[in-house]
Amino acid sequence: LKLRGAQFCHVRHCPVCQWRRTLMWTARFYQALPSIITSFPKSRWVFLTLTLRNCEIRDLRSTLENMSKAWKRFILRKEFSRVQGWIRTTEVTRGEDGSAHPHYHVLMMVSPSWFKTGYVKQSRWVEIWGECLKVNYAPNVDIRAVNPSKKKNGTLEGAIAETLKYSVKAADMVKDDFWLLELTRQVHKMRFMASGGALKNILKAEQETDTDLALL
């Protein structure tokens, strides 16, 4: 069966629209991938997750704004200079106490020399992200190479799926009406996706018609 047409609400947190949006972005990424590989045949891929401490849901907007400023400082660091292109998405999960846990998922295309000379350890990335956030604690940072020889979660396919997945889990949205309503207010008109370098604008996230979400 193939969906030929539908009318979508295009609401950011709608589970159905999130699902179709993920499919759309993934399809666009794979359409662009052959030309990227042709232009950068020896490049490697790295998956990065950047987090910080949970915040009150009413403080989510200001926290996301601070994260955005920290990211701009982050990509100017010399350790980031060998990144040839990147796609960054934002995910917000709900803490057991009703707090919000915003974090970034970043898929990076890096130069072949990334793992040979000037390799940056995970502990150093923790220091850099903490400095960019301007916090007095060590935030959690996870960075791992995308290795096609490993299981799905370690492949490029798995990294793409993790990067382009839903921004908020459906299960988190139904636990607390107040949390969902406040989340919606806090993130109104905020962008949850960004890209740069050789991967800039390949997803064309600003375009989203019913046809885009239906014909995948």
Side-chain angles (χ1 to χ4, degrees), residues 82-126:
R82 294 184 183 179
V83 176
Q84 298 168 319
W86 52 270
I87 295 175
R88 190 208 75 206
T89 57
T90 303
E91 181 182 3
V92 180
T93 55
R94 181 184 181 277
E96 290 297 326
D97 58 356
S99 60
H101 178 57
H103 51 283
Y104 286 153
H105 293 300
V106 189
L107 182 62
M108 305 186 298
M109 183 176 70
V110 301
S111 64
S113 61
W114 174 278
F115 299 97
K116 296 179 181 178
T117 60
Y119 178 76
V120 181
K121 294 182 179 180
Q122 185 268 349
S123 57
R124 178 57 183 152
W125 286 116
V126 172

Side-chain angles (χ1 to χ4, degrees), residues 39-99:
S39 300
F40 303 89
K42 295 183 179 180
S43 294
R44 299 281 301 276
W45 297 86
V46 177
F47 184 64
L48 174 71
T49 301
L50 300 171
T51 74
L52 74 170
R53 287 180 179 173
N54 290 16
C55 65
E56 295 294 330
I57 186 64
R58 62 177 177 271
D59 297 326
L60 178 59
R61 190 177 193 86
S62 60
T63 300
L64 289 171
E65 289 172 346
N66 289 335
M67 288 179 67
S68 179
K69 293 176 182 177
W71 174 258
K72 292 177 181 178
R73 292 188 284 266
F74 186 77
I75 62 177
L76 294 178
R77 301 296 289 260
K78 66 178 182 179
E79 291 85 353
F80 199 84
S81 62
R82 294 184 183 179
V83 176
Q84 298 168 319
W86 52 270
I87 295 175
R88 190 208 75 206
T89 57
T90 303
E91 181 182 3
V92 180
T93 55
R94 181 184 181 277
E96 290 297 326
D97 58 356
S99 60

